[in-house]
Amino acid sequence: MRPAADIENAMTRHGDTVWRVCLVGLRHRDDAEDAFQDAFMRYALADTAAFASEEHRKAWLIRVATNRCRDMRKAAHRKNEPLEAAGDCPARSCDPHTQPGSRVREVLDAMSALDDPPRTPVYLALYEGYTAPEISELMDAPVNTVYSWIARGKRLLKEALQ
């Protein structure tokens, strides 16, 4: 098991990103918390010499979180129990009094309405700044498929936000 300081450092540096990936992937705060916890538990139990750089550590955590979200959606589908849509607002205030004129809630609703894929690839490309080849490695999908997901997701978001 990794030392506590290493786990805390990883959570401090990459926790926000992993949390957003889980929330985007599952749309429900409780499920996202479970996926987030599982991702960092797997990190705690991972081989201590497994990461070449901080970027590699971040990519590994994103991939583990993405896979965990996919597994949780599959399990819910097999039980015929749909995961609930996110009812609470992640990370930023959605209160129009706090952010007058803000379209944050509208954008978050449009993102939540997307299927996955393209929701996760669009999030990774637009918000986290990953390229299609990097997303391809994270999601274990062909690069051209990732390009298609991103293009489709952007088109759907554009239509929803007009």
Side-chain angles (χ1 to χ4, degrees), residues 76-104:
H77 178 71
R78 275 189 234 118
K79 292 180 185 177
N80 291 325
E81 295 176 6
L83 293 169
E84 298 176 35
D88 41 19
C89 182
R92 295 189 179 98
S93 172
C94 295
D95 183 5
H97 301 322
T98 306
Q99 296 184 9
S102 172
R103 295 183 66 188
V104 172

PDB file of all heavy atoms in Angstrom, residues 76-104:
ATOM      1  N   ALA A  76     -25.907  -1.152 -13.180  1.00  0.00           N
ATOM      2  CA  ALA A  76     -27.256  -0.597 -13.011  1.00  0.00           C
ATOM      3  C   ALA A  76     -28.154  -1.022 -14.167  1.00  0.00           C
ATOM      4  O   ALA A  76     -29.327  -1.329 -13.970  1.00  0.00           O
ATOM      5  CB  ALA A  76     -27.189   0.920 -12.918  1.00  0.00           C
ATOM      6  N   HIS A  77     -27.575  -1.064 -15.371  1.00  0.00           N
ATOM      7  CA  HIS A  77     -28.353  -1.475 -16.546  1.00  0.00           C
ATOM      8  C   HIS A  77     -28.779  -2.938 -16.423  1.00  0.00           C
ATOM      9  O   HIS A  77     -29.903  -3.296 -16.747  1.00  0.00           O
ATOM     10  CB  HIS A  77     -27.540  -1.254 -17.822  1.00  0.00           C
ATOM     11  CG  HIS A  77     -28.244  -1.684 -19.062  1.00  0.00           C
ATOM     12  ND1 HIS A  77     -29.322  -0.993 -19.566  1.00  0.00           N
ATOM     13  CD2 HIS A  77     -28.047  -2.740 -19.887  1.00  0.00           C
ATOM     14  CE1 HIS A  77     -29.752  -1.602 -20.648  1.00  0.00           C
ATOM     15  NE2 HIS A  77     -29.000  -2.664 -20.876  1.00  0.00           N
ATOM     16  N   ARG A  78     -27.869  -3.789 -15.940  1.00  0.00           N
ATOM     17  CA  ARG A  78     -28.195  -5.211 -15.779  1.00  0.00           C
ATOM     18  C   ARG A  78     -29.302  -5.414 -14.757  1.00  0.00           C
ATOM     19  O   ARG A  78     -30.098  -6.325 -14.860  1.00  0.00           O
ATOM     20  CB  ARG A  78     -26.950  -5.996 -15.356  1.00  0.00           C
ATOM     21  CG  ARG A  78     -26.113  -6.409 -16.524  1.00  0.00           C
ATOM     22  CD  ARG A  78     -25.017  -7.356 -16.087  1.00  0.00           C
ATOM     23  NE  ARG A  78     -23.772  -6.787 -16.548  1.00  0.00           N
ATOM     24  CZ  ARG A  78     -22.767  -6.399 -15.796  1.00  0.00           C
ATOM     25  NH1 ARG A  78     -22.803  -6.566 -14.505  1.00  0.00           N
ATOM     26  NH2 ARG A  78     -21.696  -5.878 -16.317  1.00  0.00           N
ATOM     27  N   LYS A  79     -29.342  -4.571 -13.736  1.00  0.00           N
ATOM     28  CA  LYS A  79     -30.374  -4.678 -12.710  1.00  0.00           C
ATOM     29  C   LYS A  79     -31.647  -3.940 -13.113  1.00  0.00           C
ATOM     30  O   LYS A  79     -32.610  -3.924 -12.361  1.00  0.00           O
ATOM     31  CB  LYS A  79     -29.874  -4.061 -11.395  1.00  0.00           C
ATOM     32  CG  LYS A  79     -28.764  -4.815 -10.732  1.00  0.00           C
ATOM     33  CD  LYS A  79     -28.381  -4.084  -9.459  1.00  0.00           C
ATOM     34  CE  LYS A  79     -27.186  -4.690  -8.785  1.00  0.00           C
ATOM     35  NZ  LYS A  79     -26.793  -3.919  -7.604  1.00  0.00           N
ATOM     36  N   ASN A  80     -31.613  -3.272 -14.265  1.00  0.00           N
ATOM     37  CA  ASN A  80     -32.721  -2.429 -14.721  1.00  0.00           C
ATOM     38  C   ASN A  80     -33.033  -1.332 -13.714  1.00  0.00           C
ATOM     39  O   ASN A  80     -34.183  -0.978 -13.487  1.00  0.00           O
ATOM     40  CB  ASN A  80     -33.981  -3.251 -15.009  1.00  0.00           C
ATOM     41  CG  ASN A  80     -33.807  -4.116 -16.224  1.00  0.00           C
ATOM     42  OD1 ASN A  80     -33.144  -3.712 -17.183  1.00  0.00           O
ATOM     43  ND2 ASN A  80     -34.382  -5.298 -16.186  1.00  0.00           N
ATOM     44  N   GLU A  81     -31.988  -0.813 -13.086  1.00  0.00           N
ATOM     45  CA  GLU A  81     -32.124   0.294 -12.151  1.00  0.00           C
ATOM     46  C   GLU A  81     -31.340   1.466 -12.712  1.00  0.00           C
ATOM     47  O   GLU A  81     -30.129   1.553 -12.537  1.00  0.00           O
ATOM     48  CB  GLU A  81     -31.551  -0.078 -10.780  1.00  0.00           C
ATOM     49  CG  GLU A  81     -32.290  -1.183 -10.085  1.00  0.00           C
ATOM     50  CD  GLU A  81     -31.623  -1.570  -8.784  1.00  0.00           C
ATOM     51  OE1 GLU A  81     -30.661  -0.901  -8.368  1.00  0.00           O
ATOM     52  OE2 GLU A  81     -32.073  -2.539  -8.178  1.00  0.00           O
ATOM     53  N   PRO A  82     -32.004   2.406 -13.389  1.00  0.00           N
ATOM     54  CA  PRO A  82     -31.268   3.525 -13.972  1.00  0.00           C
ATOM     55  C   PRO A  82     -30.633   4.383 -12.898  1.00  0.00           C
ATOM     56  O   PRO A  82     -31.211   4.604 -11.831  1.00  0.00           O
ATOM     57  CB  PRO A  82     -32.332   4.305 -14.738  1.00  0.00           C
ATOM     58  CG  PRO A  82     -33.623   3.911 -14.103  1.00  0.00           C
ATOM     59  CD  PRO A  82     -33.438   2.516 -13.582  1.00  0.00           C
ATOM     60  N   LEU A  83     -29.409   4.841 -13.181  1.00  0.00           N
ATOM     61  CA  LEU A  83     -28.768   5.791 -12.292  1.00  0.00           C
ATOM     62  C   LEU A  83     -29.532   7.099 -12.396  1.00  0.00           C
ATOM     63  O   LEU A  83     -29.940   7.511 -13.473  1.00  0.00           O
ATOM     64  CB  LEU A  83     -27.305   5.997 -12.708  1.00  0.00           C
ATOM     65  CG  LEU A  83     -26.417   4.778 -12.524  1.00  0.00           C
ATOM     66  CD1 LEU A  83     -25.073   5.003 -13.198  1.00  0.00           C
ATOM     67  CD2 LEU A  83     -26.221   4.476 -11.057  1.00  0.00           C
ATOM     68  N   GLU A  84     -29.721   7.768 -11.273  1.00  0.00           N
ATOM     69  CA  GLU A  84     -30.496   8.996 -11.262  1.00  0.00           C
ATOM     70  C   GLU A  84     -29.721  10.125 -11.920  1.00  0.00           C
ATOM     71  O   GLU A  84     -28.507  10.150 -11.912  1.00  0.00           O
ATOM     72  CB  GLU A  84     -30.818   9.385  -9.819  1.00  0.00           C
ATOM     73  CG  GLU A  84     -31.664   8.350  -9.108  1.00  0.00           C
ATOM     74  CD  GLU A  84     -31.889   8.724  -7.667  1.00  0.00           C
ATOM     75  OE1 GLU A  84     -32.017   9.924  -7.388  1.00  0.00           O
ATOM     76  OE2 GLU A  84     -31.917   7.828  -6.831  1.00  0.00           O
ATOM     77  N   ALA A  85     -30.452  11.078 -12.460  1.00  0.00           N
ATOM     78  CA  ALA A  85     -29.810  12.263 -13.037  1.00  0.00           C
ATOM     79  C   ALA A  85     -29.330  13.157 -11.906  1.00  0.00           C
ATOM     80  O   ALA A  85     -29.908  13.191 -10.825  1.00  0.00           O
ATOM     81  CB  ALA A  85     -30.795  13.018 -13.915  1.00  0.00           C
ATOM     82  N   ALA A  86     -28.260  13.864 -12.159  1.00  0.00           N
ATOM     83  CA  ALA A  86     -27.686  14.743 -11.145  1.00  0.00           C
ATOM     84  C   ALA A  86     -28.668  15.855 -10.822  1.00  0.00           C
ATOM     85  O   ALA A  86     -29.074  16.606 -11.692  1.00  0.00           O
ATOM     86  CB  ALA A  86     -26.371  15.334 -11.629  1.00  0.00           C
ATOM     87  N   GLY A  87     -29.006  15.955  -9.563  1.00  0.00           N
ATOM     88  CA  GLY A  87     -29.921  17.002  -9.163  1.00  0.00           C
ATOM     89  C   GLY A  87     -29.209  18.152  -8.494  1.00  0.00           C
ATOM     90  O   GLY A  87     -29.740  19.229  -8.354  1.00  0.00           O
ATOM     91  N   ASP A  88     -27.977  17.929  -8.100  1.00  0.00           N
ATOM     92  CA  ASP A  88     -27.246  18.983  -7.428  1.00  0.00           C
ATOM     93  C   ASP A  88     -26.146  19.493  -8.342  1.00  0.00           C
ATOM     94  O   ASP A  88     -25.730  18.851  -9.269  1.00  0.00           O
ATOM     95  CB  ASP A  88     -26.676  18.508  -6.094  1.00  0.00           C
ATOM     96  CG  ASP A  88     -26.111  17.101  -6.192  1.00  0.00           C
ATOM     97  OD1 ASP A  88     -25.833  16.643  -7.317  1.00  0.00           O
ATOM     98  OD2 ASP A  88     -25.954  16.473  -5.144  1.00  0.00           O
ATOM     99  N   CYS A  89     -25.717  20.663  -8.063  1.00  0.00           N
ATOM    100  CA  CYS A  89     -24.779  21.345  -8.939  1.00  0.00           C
ATOM    101  C   CYS A  89     -23.343  21.088  -8.491  1.00  0.00           C
ATOM    102  O   CYS A  89     -23.014  21.335  -7.342  1.00  0.00           O
ATOM    103  CB  CYS A  89     -25.070  22.839  -8.903  1.00  0.00           C
ATOM    104  SG  CYS A  89     -24.027  23.787  -9.972  1.00  0.00           S
ATOM    105  N   PRO A  90     -22.476  20.593  -9.350  1.00  0.00           N
ATOM    106  CA  PRO A  90     -21.108  20.315  -8.962  1.00  0.00           C
ATOM    107  C   PRO A  90     -20.229  21.558  -8.957  1.00  0.00           C
ATOM    108  O   PRO A  90     -20.370  22.431  -9.795  1.00  0.00           O
ATOM    109  CB  PRO A  90     -20.626  19.353 -10.043  1.00  0.00           C
ATOM    110  CG  PRO A  90     -21.434  19.706 -11.241  1.00  0.00           C
ATOM    111  CD  PRO A  90     -22.753  20.170 -10.711  1.00  0.00           C
ATOM    112  N   ALA A  91     -19.322  21.605  -8.012  1.00  0.00           N
ATOM    113  CA  ALA A  91     -18.179  22.511  -7.973  1.00  0.00           C
ATOM    114  C   ALA A  91     -18.515  24.002  -8.001  1.00  0.00           C
ATOM    115  O   ALA A  91     -17.978  24.743  -7.219  1.00  0.00           O
ATOM    116  CB  ALA A  91     -17.195  22.194  -9.079  1.00  0.00           C
ATOM    117  N   ARG A  92     -19.361  24.475  -8.872  1.00  0.00           N
ATOM    118  CA  ARG A  92     -19.638  25.900  -9.011  1.00  0.00           C
ATOM    119  C   ARG A  92     -21.060  26.202  -8.579  1.00  0.00           C
ATOM    120  O   ARG A  92     -21.940  25.371  -8.674  1.00  0.00           O
ATOM    121  CB  ARG A  92     -19.456  26.319 -10.463  1.00  0.00           C
ATOM    122  CG  ARG A  92     -18.040  26.196 -10.930  1.00  0.00           C
ATOM    123  CD  ARG A  92     -17.908  26.843 -12.295  1.00  0.00           C
ATOM    124  NE  ARG A  92     -16.549  26.755 -12.737  1.00  0.00           N
ATOM    125  CZ  ARG A  92     -16.090  25.833 -13.570  1.00  0.00           C
ATOM    126  NH1 ARG A  92     -16.881  24.905 -14.030  1.00  0.00           N
ATOM    127  NH2 ARG A  92     -14.838  25.825 -13.936  1.00  0.00           N
ATOM    128  N   SER A  93     -21.278  27.435  -8.197  1.00  0.00           N
ATOM    129  CA  SER A  93     -22.617  27.859  -7.800  1.00  0.00           C
ATOM    130  C   SER A  93     -23.519  27.972  -9.013  1.00  0.00           C
ATOM    131  O   SER A  93     -23.138  28.509 -10.039  1.00  0.00           O
ATOM    132  CB  SER A  93     -22.539  29.214  -7.100  1.00  0.00           C
ATOM    133  OG  SER A  93     -23.829  29.703  -6.883  1.00  0.00           O
ATOM    134  N   CYS A  94     -24.724  27.452  -8.885  1.00  0.00           N
ATOM    135  CA  CYS A  94     -25.718  27.558  -9.955  1.00  0.00           C
ATOM    136  C   CYS A  94     -26.769  28.595  -9.610  1.00  0.00           C
ATOM    137  O   CYS A  94     -27.726  28.774 -10.347  1.00  0.00           O
ATOM    138  CB  CYS A  94     -26.388  26.206 -10.179  1.00  0.00           C
ATOM    139  SG  CYS A  94     -25.271  24.968 -10.768  1.00  0.00           S
ATOM    140  N   ASP A  95     -26.605  29.246  -8.491  1.00  0.00           N
ATOM    141  CA  ASP A  95     -27.570  30.232  -8.041  1.00  0.00           C
ATOM    142  C   ASP A  95     -27.494  31.470  -8.930  1.00  0.00           C
ATOM    143  O   ASP A  95     -26.451  32.106  -9.028  1.00  0.00           O
ATOM    144  CB  ASP A  95     -27.262  30.598  -6.584  1.00  0.00           C
ATOM    145  CG  ASP A  95     -28.258  31.564  -5.993  1.00  0.00           C
ATOM    146  OD1 ASP A  95     -29.258  31.888  -6.669  1.00  0.00           O
ATOM    147  OD2 ASP A  95     -28.033  31.992  -4.849  1.00  0.00           O
ATOM    148  N   PRO A  96     -28.608  31.841  -9.594  1.00  0.00           N
ATOM    149  CA  PRO A  96     -28.569  33.010 -10.466  1.00  0.00           C
ATOM    150  C   PRO A  96     -28.262  34.301  -9.715  1.00  0.00           C
ATOM    151  O   PRO A  96     -27.793  35.254 -10.310  1.00  0.00           O
ATOM    152  CB  PRO A  96     -29.963  33.050 -11.104  1.00  0.00           C
ATOM    153  CG  PRO A  96     -30.803  32.112 -10.332  1.00  0.00           C
ATOM    154  CD  PRO A  96     -29.900  31.185  -9.592  1.00  0.00           C
ATOM    155  N   HIS A  97     -28.507  34.341  -8.390  1.00  0.00           N
ATOM    156  CA  HIS A  97     -28.176  35.533  -7.613  1.00  0.00           C
ATOM    157  C   HIS A  97     -26.665  35.639  -7.415  1.00  0.00           C
ATOM    158  O   HIS A  97     -26.117  36.728  -7.343  1.00  0.00           O
ATOM    159  CB  HIS A  97     -28.875  35.508  -6.262  1.00  0.00           C
ATOM    160  CG  HIS A  97     -30.372  35.435  -6.373  1.00  0.00           C
ATOM    161  ND1 HIS A  97     -31.092  36.102  -7.335  1.00  0.00           N
ATOM    162  CD2 HIS A  97     -31.272  34.753  -5.658  1.00  0.00           C
ATOM    163  CE1 HIS A  97     -32.381  35.856  -7.184  1.00  0.00           C
ATOM    164  NE2 HIS A  97     -32.526  35.019  -6.178  1.00  0.00           N
ATOM    165  N   THR A  98     -25.987  34.485  -7.295  1.00  0.00           N
ATOM    166  CA  THR A  98     -24.538  34.470  -7.129  1.00  0.00           C
ATOM    167  C   THR A  98     -23.841  34.768  -8.443  1.00  0.00           C
ATOM    168  O   THR A  98     -22.844  35.472  -8.482  1.00  0.00           O
ATOM    169  CB  THR A  98     -24.073  33.084  -6.622  1.00  0.00           C
ATOM    170  OG1 THR A  98     -24.814  32.773  -5.452  1.00  0.00           O
ATOM    171  CG2 THR A  98     -22.604  33.076  -6.305  1.00  0.00           C
ATOM    172  N   GLN A  99     -24.382  34.229  -9.533  1.00  0.00           N
ATOM    173  CA  GLN A  99     -23.789  34.418 -10.854  1.00  0.00           C
ATOM    174  C   GLN A  99     -24.870  34.899 -11.821  1.00  0.00           C
ATOM    175  O   GLN A  99     -25.361  34.132 -12.647  1.00  0.00           O
ATOM    176  CB  GLN A  99     -23.181  33.114 -11.361  1.00  0.00           C
ATOM    177  CG  GLN A  99     -22.043  32.633 -10.527  1.00  0.00           C
ATOM    178  CD  GLN A  99     -21.414  31.390 -11.120  1.00  0.00           C
ATOM    179  OE1 GLN A  99     -21.707  30.986 -12.224  1.00  0.00           O
ATOM    180  NE2 GLN A  99     -20.525  30.795 -10.379  1.00  0.00           N
ATOM    181  N   PRO A 100     -25.259  36.176 -11.709  1.00  0.00           N
ATOM    182  CA  PRO A 100     -26.317  36.661 -12.590  1.00  0.00           C
ATOM    183  C   PRO A 100     -25.884  36.573 -14.055  1.00  0.00           C
ATOM    184  O   PRO A 100     -24.746  36.838 -14.393  1.00  0.00           O
ATOM    185  CB  PRO A 100     -26.527  38.106 -12.149  1.00  0.00           C
ATOM    186  CG  PRO A 100     -25.356  38.452 -11.323  1.00  0.00           C
ATOM    187  CD  PRO A 100     -24.739  37.180 -10.836  1.00  0.00           C
ATOM    188  N   GLY A 101     -26.815  36.174 -14.902  1.00  0.00           N
ATOM    189  CA  GLY A 101     -26.534  36.075 -16.330  1.00  0.00           C
ATOM    190  C   GLY A 101     -25.732  34.841 -16.693  1.00  0.00           C
ATOM    191  O   GLY A 101     -25.383  34.640 -17.843  1.00  0.00           O
ATOM    192  N   SER A 102     -25.438  34.003 -15.726  1.00  0.00           N
ATOM    193  CA  SER A 102     -24.651  32.813 -15.969  1.00  0.00           C
ATOM    194  C   SER A 102     -25.496  31.726 -16.602  1.00  0.00           C
ATOM    195  O   SER A 102     -26.660  31.546 -16.265  1.00  0.00           O
ATOM    196  CB  SER A 102     -24.073  32.303 -14.645  1.00  0.00           C
ATOM    197  OG  SER A 102     -23.463  31.065 -14.840  1.00  0.00           O
ATOM    198  N   ARG A 103     -24.872  30.989 -17.514  1.00  0.00           N
ATOM    199  CA  ARG A 103     -25.560  29.864 -18.145  1.00  0.00           C
ATOM    200  C   ARG A 103     -25.005  28.555 -17.619  1.00  0.00           C
ATOM    201  O   ARG A 103     -25.144  27.525 -18.264  1.00  0.00           O
ATOM    202  CB  ARG A 103     -25.391  29.957 -19.657  1.00  0.00           C
ATOM    203  CG  ARG A 103     -26.079  31.178 -20.247  1.00  0.00           C
ATOM    204  CD  ARG A 103     -25.965  31.219 -21.732  1.00  0.00           C
ATOM    205  NE  ARG A 103     -26.697  30.118 -22.327  1.00  0.00           N
ATOM    206  CZ  ARG A 103     -26.643  29.815 -23.618  1.00  0.00           C
ATOM    207  NH1 ARG A 103     -25.912  30.517 -24.429  1.00  0.00           N
ATOM    208  NH2 ARG A 103     -27.327  28.802 -24.101  1.00  0.00           N
ATOM    209  N   VAL A 104     -24.390  28.578 -16.440  1.00  0.00           N
ATOM    210  CA  VAL A 104     -23.750  27.390 -15.889  1.00  0.00           C
ATOM    211  C   VAL A 104     -24.740  26.236 -15.787  1.00  0.00           C
ATOM    212  O   VAL A 104     -24.465  25.133 -16.233  1.00  0.00           O
ATOM    213  CB  VAL A 104     -23.109  27.689 -14.507  1.00  0.00           C
ATOM    214  CG1 VAL A 104     -22.631  26.415 -13.851  1.00  0.00           C
ATOM    215  CG2 VAL A 104     -21.975  28.675 -14.658  1.00  0.00           C
TER     216      VAL A 104
END
